[in-house]
Amino acid sequence: MENVIEHLPKDCVLPLLRERIAELSAVEGMLSKRLSRAPAGVLNVSPHRGGFQYFRVTAKTGRKGEYIPERKMSLASAIAQRDYDAKMLAEIQRQRGVLEKCVAKYDVSVAENLYAQLHPARRSLVAPLVYPDDDFVARWSAVNYSGRGFDAGGPMLMTAHGERVRSKSEIIIADALFRRGIPYRYEYPHELLLAGARNRKRIVVYPDFTCLNVRTHREIVWEHFGMIDVPEYCQNMASKMEMYLQNGFCMGKNFVMTTETHDRPLNSMMVEAMLERLAG
């Protein structure tokens, strides 16, 4: 990230660990319920004429077991599934136990709060590895930059934050970001490698919005493509998307987009869905 020193990315491991524990717990409950309804017995499998025969062994059948004919193959499947589920349940319980112990000992607040707890006289002398959220947002928001210029005589479209943008759709996006308290920069310059360039040529692009996820301290580029029903515009959009991908911008990770046509203008519900991702 330009102009802001951040030696160590924000630690986002703990939420992922908790999310994984919740996933494992849900599957554990499902498997336990399924195992409670599974048939009893042991499944024996014997080679037979290039295939296999299946036998169900219980206390009543003896060691060889009762032959399972083709029409009752669902019984063999149910026993085999039960055996798999039992092993998987044990492994899931083991994994969950390991992760729960890790979460109990994994305290990221010490490193994150270390800078804030310094005496002000010392804090001014230190370049921290991790900034507290408020300090990081303040430094990120204070970066000065020059965006694209506006044509003389163009429409004066202003956001609620008092900045000029190029379209009514951008007003909707900017106002929604501002209302949600998501820091953003309008048309902040990014230097990208030109897609397909053999001589490693780099160009400067001005995405509509460069947003900051405060929780992760990561930037997300938001492009709004407002005329995708125009063939030439779509060609340019495709080239731009290729260039973004070549430069490490991945949809849903550090890049999001909205679109509209003449007949289907920007949907506020689409904007709110994007905001949920940016704030998450």
Side-chain angles (χ1 to χ4, degrees):
M1 175 172 47
E2 296 89 343
N3 301 323
V4 176
I5 298 174
E6 186 197 13
H7 300 286
L8 188 64
K10 183 73 176 291
D11 196 322
C12 301
V13 173
L14 199 55
L16 295 176
L17 291 177
R18 288 173 174 155
E19 181 180 350
R20 184 59 175 173
I21 289 173
E23 293 172 348
L24 292 174
S25 296
V27 174
E28 181 180 348
M30 180 272 293
L31 288 176
S32 297
K33 186 176 181 180
R34 195 157 73 184
L35 284 168
S36 68
R37 301 193 301 261
V42 176
L43 184 66
N44 280 351
V45 183
S46 300
H48 179 72
R49 296 181 179 179
F52 299 98
Q53 285 185 330
Y54 299 91
F55 299 85
R56 182 190 188 191
V57 179
T58 65
K60 296 180 180 180
T61 63
R63 295 179 58 186
K64 183 178 180 181
E66 178 185 2
Y67 173 68
I68 302 176
E70 185 69 27
R71 68 179 185 278
K72 294 185 177 180
M73 197 53 59
S74 60
L75 175 61
S77 296
I79 298 174
Q81 184 68 52
R82 182 207 62 196
D83 294 343
Y84 171 84
D85 288 348
K87 293 179 180 179
M88 181 59 73
L89 177 61
E91 175 58 19
I92 285 176
Q93 290 172 334
R94 185 194 68 80
Q95 290 183 14
R96 182 170 58 81
V98 171
L99 293 181
E100 287 175 342
K101 290 180 181 179
C102 180
V103 167
K105 296 181 179 181
Y106 194 86
D107 188 356
V108 300
S109 63
V110 175
E112 292 180 354
N113 296 329
L114 201 56
Y115 178 71
Q117 293 170 352
L118 292 176
H119 187 280
R122 290 182 175 272
R123 199 181 306 157
S124 63
L125 303 175
V126 171
L129 288 172
V130 179
Y131 283 98
D133 287 348
D134 291 344
D135 287 359
F136 187 87
V137 170
R139 290 172 65 87
W140 190 88
S141 301
V143 169
N144 292 319
Y145 67 94
S146 297
R148 294 167 54 199
F150 289 87
D151 295 333
M156 293 293 295
L157 300 172
M158 308 298 293
T159 69
H161 192 46
E163 61 191 343
R164 186 179 179 185
V165 294
R166 302 181 189 277
S167 70
K168 293 180 180 179
S169 295
E170 290 181 346
I171 290 179
I172 294 174
I173 296 172
D175 287 353
L177 288 167
F178 180 65
R179 187 170 59 251
R180 287 262 192 145
I182 298 175
Y184 70 90
R185 300 170 184 160
Y186 179 67
E187 292 189 345
Y188 180 76
H190 290 256
E191 189 179 84
L192 302 181
L193 180 68
L194 186 62
R198 295 184 178 181
N199 58 354
R200 310 295 290 179
K201 182 180 179 180
R202 305 188 74 85
I203 64 170
V204 175
V205 298
Y206 298 86
D208 297 322
F209 300 93
T210 300
C211 310
L212 179 67
N213 185 316
V214 177
R215 183 179 63 83
T216 64
H217 291 189
R218 303 283 186 176
E219 291 181 352
I220 302 175
V221 164
W222 184 335
E223 285 278 25
H224 177 67
F225 297 106
M227 298 186 296
I228 63 170
D229 49 347
V230 178
E232 183 179 355
Y233 185 92
C234 275
Q235 289 292 332
N236 293 333
M237 182 184 74
S239 298
K240 200 170 188 179
M241 293 293 294
E242 181 183 353
M243 182 170 57
Y244 274 124
L245 183 60
Q246 182 178 351
N247 283 269
F249 289 90
C250 180
M251 183 71 71
K253 181 181 179 182
N254 56 357
F255 180 88
V256 295
M257 58 179 276
T258 45
T259 61
E260 66 178 309
T261 67
H262 177 75
D263 296 327
R264 297 180 66 87
L266 180 64
N267 188 319
S268 60
M269 294 180 61
M270 183 185 301
V271 174
E272 291 300 323
M274 289 297 181
L275 292 177
E276 290 294 331
R277 178 173 293 277
L278 291 177

